[in-house]
Amino acid sequence: VTGENRYTISNAILYKYTVDGNGNATIIDVPDGIEGEIAIPQNIGSAKVVSIGNEAFEDCALITCVIIPEGVTHIGRDAFSWCESLESIKIPSSVAYIGDGAFSLCDNIGSVYISDLKAWCEITFDNSTCGRANPLAYGADLYLNDLLVQNLNIPNSVTFIGKYAFYGCSGLTSITIPNSVTFIG
């Protein structure tokens, strides 16, 4: 039934989720006691996971790594706040929005993995109130296709760099921005 809360177990994790009229799932809650590396499923039953809801993983203090699947476009407000043991996160190129405080109090994030620099530059990081929408904010290193980014060369395909795109990124030693970039947030 569209919009009603549903539950499923994937990789031994109980996910609470909703499904919209298009068959797209939003994860809205998981138990606080989950731990270790979490690979969020790409599909729950026949529904494609496209969103991680507000506060969905909040207070999961024992998670160490999160792998978000391709297809997720939205990470909600405080989605991973208080995940105090979180050390690394993989964010797919499909993510277009990360809500305010999505990574609040995730002081141990040291590595953020991406596969598409243009997509990363275009993410809307909502830092409207408390900040910490960008997981790099705690001084994390950025990895592009599993390689540490130190000398960042923005590709010519990038026309704008959104607000907070590299906020807190500790490993950068140089950035080359091409003439194609007409806006830097």
Side-chain angles (χ1 to χ4, degrees):
V1 177
T2 302
E4 290 187 14
N5 293 340
R6 302 176 185 193
Y7 299 86
T8 191
I9 296 177
S10 177
N11 298 324
I13 297 172
L14 177 66
Y15 290 95
K16 183 177 180 182
Y17 67 100
T18 60
V19 177
D20 68 16
N22 296 318
N24 295 318
T26 296
I27 294 173
I28 57 174
D29 196 19
V30 296
D32 293 346
I34 61 175
E35 59 185 70
E37 182 175 306
I38 304 302
I40 296 171
Q42 192 166 17
N43 296 294
I44 295 178
S46 61
K48 181 177 180 180
V49 176
V50 297
S51 181
I52 299 168
N54 296 342
E55 303 170 2
F57 287 83
E58 183 179 47
D59 293 324
C60 291
L62 301 176
I63 293 175
T64 57
C65 174
V66 173
I67 300 169
I68 299 173
E70 191 64 44
V72 170
T73 61
H74 181 98
I75 299 172
R77 174 186 40 80
D78 294 319
F80 295 96
S81 64
W82 289 95
C83 291
E84 299 163 339
S85 299
L86 186 60
E87 297 172 356
S88 67
I89 187 160
K90 183 175 183 180
I91 298 178
S93 60
S94 56
V95 171
Y97 174 85
I98 300 179
D100 192 36
F103 297 96
S104 289
L105 303 165
C106 295
D107 299 349
N108 290 312
I109 295 177
S111 306
V112 176
Y113 293 86
I114 64 171
S115 61
D116 185 332
L117 190 57
K118 182 178 188 297
W120 181 259
C121 289
E122 294 175 353
I123 292 176
T124 298
F125 294 101
D126 181 356
N127 281 314
S128 58
T129 57
C130 67
R132 305 298 190 214
N134 188 331
L136 291 171
Y138 293 97
D141 287 326
L142 180 65
Y143 290 82
L144 177 61
N145 297 317
D146 295 325
L147 298 173
L148 177 63
V149 176
Q150 293 178 310
N151 301 308
L152 180 61
N153 291 307
I154 305 289
N156 287 325
S157 60
V158 174
T159 58
F160 74 94
I161 300 171
K163 291 181 182 179
Y164 304 103
F166 299 100
Y167 176 67
C169 187
S170 66
L172 293 180
T173 57
S174 69
I175 300 174
T176 303
I177 302 172
N179 290 336
S180 62
V181 175
T182 59
F183 175 83
I184 299 176

